[in-house]
Amino acid sequence: MRFLAITLIVHAPDPVTGVRVSTADRFREVLDDALLAEELGFDGFGVGERHERPFISSSPPVVLSHIAALTSRIRLFTAVTTLSLLDPVRAFEDYATLDHLSGGRLELIIGKGNGSAQRELFHVTTDDQWDRNAESYDLFRRIWRQDKVTAEPRFRPALAAAEVWPRPLQQPIRVWHGSATSRESADLAARYGDPLFSANVTNPIEPYAELVRHYRERWEAYGHDPALAAVGAGTAGDYAARTSQEALAVYRPVFEGRLAFQKKIGLEPVFTTLEDFVERSSALIGSPQQIVEKVHRYHERLGHTVLHLQADRSGLTPARHRAALELFQCDIAPVLRKEIPDPPWEWGPGPLSPTERPQHPQGGAEGPRPATPSTRQEEGGGTS
């Protein structure tokens, strides 16, 4: 099994302290989280794309390019690239450039995106959003594989033997299809023989398991080898501690703060108590053994071989955030890597070797601080 840390770059008040940092500081947190993920041996780091409040993740190619300059091993993901809103030619140019700058570490998770504000911003309607997503992906895929493309798409100007530069480093880049519960995304992924990434965040497991079942059915219907289907899945939250009592005690104010924020912006929470959230959602909150058992329960329903955790420290102190991720990598990830298979392909830069992995966390101590752009300059490492 492989593990990603993902952020949508929510820019909202901290759920526990109520403090909202500046935009610049929020971006610095993202960079620090990416550096920490690489340091601790995560396989990938993902940045979402949203074009509405309270997110500031409208430009993932820029953010991921900065992260690429600061890292060397970790794979870089989009989560998701909203192709229904974008010109696929321009998106290709951005991501082909990023693929070179990252040394071929880029993977895309595409999706139509959601939210009425960003649809209005880009003049996309509920009637045409799925057609736009499918058309944009088809064109994006062709550009990645062909030196010259001729096409007459519906939602952008025609192309006549068009050459798009630069040509990408990876031939081709891997594209996942992100979906909450939409069969359209699952069918598109199956049609092209691409992996599926289930959001697996908002609801109990049933709708996500049904989506994955549909994906696998369509995968076979399109004539693909069932052994080559690959699924990733998200988590609604995560916090690992030595005991379940400690995990619940630390995470409770985080959950209650997020619950209050959801109600404030008019969202109806699916899980109204922490206990229900831990029991029925995909959240991984508890002792290492509890988390391992829960991932296995979800794997029985989803068959996923990639799992994402929340990269953000929102509501947690930096020391607790780091200690929880260290515990995950020391006591949880090795078990799951051994017991659940990897996706059916070469991953690329592998996890850290045993000598590079973090030492076992002792008593939740803060430990060494992950390098930031400023500390790397002080150490002579440079930032680009």
Side-chain angles (χ1 to χ4, degrees):
M1 177 168 257
R2 297 287 178 158
F3 302 96
L4 316 180
I6 284 181
T7 177
L8 296 180
I9 321 186
V10 177
H11 191 215
D14 183 280
V16 175
T17 66
V19 174
R20 189 173 85 155
V21 301
S22 69
T23 300
D25 285 342
R26 182 69 187 96
F27 280 124
R28 290 189 189 99
E29 288 179 352
V30 173
L31 300 180
D32 283 348
D33 289 340
L35 289 165
L36 179 60
E38 175 162 271
E39 177 190 342
L40 297 184
F42 279 84
D43 300 290
F45 188 87
V47 173
E49 180 178 336
R50 296 288 181 87
H51 300 271
E52 58 188 335
R53 292 174 181 264
F55 307 97
I56 53 172
S57 51
S58 59
S59 188
V62 176
V63 178
L64 287 171
S65 291
H66 198 151
I67 292 172
L70 299 174
T71 58
S72 60
R73 179 190 298 270
I74 199 165
R75 292 193 69 77
L76 306 175
F77 284 73
T78 61
V80 300
T81 296
T82 54
L83 275 182
S84 65
L85 308 179
L86 305 177
D87 180 343
V89 175
R90 189 70 183 95
F92 170 86
E93 292 173 334
D94 284 342
Y95 286 115
T97 301
L98 174 53
D99 194 39
H100 281 280
L101 293 175
S102 67
R105 288 185 284 144
L106 179 64
E107 298 197 25
L108 299 183
I109 307 176
I110 70 159
K112 75 167 181 65
N114 58 13
S116 59
Q118 59 183 17
R119 283 198 304 269
E120 293 172 2
L121 187 64
F122 289 90
H123 296 276
V124 174
T125 71
T126 55
D127 293 329
D128 66 20
Q129 58 186 350
W130 289 112
D131 291 339
R132 286 177 178 273
N133 188 60
E135 178 185 281
S136 291
Y137 180 54
D138 177 74
L139 190 53
F140 182 91
R141 182 183 176 90
R142 290 177 59 190
I143 295 171
W144 207 281
R145 287 164 171 77
Q146 301 173 16
D147 291 335
K148 295 183 179 181
V149 175
T150 297
E152 294 187 6
R154 174 184 169 194
F155 298 106
R156 64 144 287 130
L159 300 175
E163 297 180 278
V164 189
W165 296 93
R167 302 309 300 159
L169 180 59
Q170 296 182 85
Q171 294 287 348
I173 190 174
R174 180 172 295 110
V175 176
W176 300 69
H177 295 250
S179 177
T181 56
S182 61
R183 290 192 169 203
E184 291 88 348
S185 290
D187 188 84
L188 191 66
R191 184 192 318 167
Y192 285 106
D194 295 329
L196 179 74
F197 214 108
S198 169
N200 192 38
V201 168
T202 306
N203 297 296
I205 193 172
E206 285 75 18
Y208 307 116
E210 171 59 25
L211 182 77
V212 171
R213 183 195 62 78
H214 176 73
Y215 165 70
R216 295 186 188 278
E217 287 181 353
R218 298 307 299 157
W219 177 277
E220 291 192 51
Y222 283 115
H224 304 303
D225 183 350
L228 299 181
V231 173
T235 53
D238 52 89
Y239 186 76
R242 282 286 161 215
T243 67
S244 60
Q245 293 84 356
E246 179 187 352
L248 290 172
V250 171
Y251 202 81
R252 188 174 300 280
V254 178
F255 174 81
E256 292 176 348
R258 290 178 177 170
L259 191 68
F261 181 73
Q262 289 178 5
K263 293 179 178 178
K264 181 179 179 181
I265 62 176
L267 296 177
E268 186 65 31
V270 176
F271 309 102
T272 57
T273 68
L274 176 59
E275 287 71 19
D276 188 37
F277 181 64
V278 172
E279 175 63 27
R280 295 196 304 121
S281 83
S282 61
L284 302 178
I285 300 167
S287 67
Q289 184 60 34
Q290 287 173 315
I291 291 175
V292 167
E293 290 174 356
K294 187 167 188 179
V295 172
H296 271 289
R297 290 200 304 272
Y298 269 72
H299 179 70
E300 289 174 3
R301 301 288 301 277
L302 303 177
H304 59 308
T305 53
V306 178
L307 178 72
H308 91 52
L309 275 66
Q310 306 292 328
D312 301 317
R313 68 193 74 170
S314 177
L316 299 172
T317 65
R320 280 178 166 163
H321 177 65
R322 182 187 180 94
L325 293 181
E326 286 180 338
L327 184 59
F328 184 91
Q329 289 289 37
C330 288
D331 285 19
I332 300 169
V335 177
L336 295 173
R337 289 187 193 278
K338 180 179 179 181
E339 296 177 350
I340 297 177
D342 280 349
W345 56 68
E346 181 82 18
W347 183 264
L352 301 182
S353 69
T355 58
E356 294 175 299
R357 288 177 186 151
Q359 297 301 306
H360 209 288
Q362 298 295 324
E366 182 162 338
R369 182 168 60 91
T372 63
S374 59
T375 59
R376 286 197 166 202
Q377 284 182 310
E378 292 166 2
E379 294 161 3
T383 60
S384 61

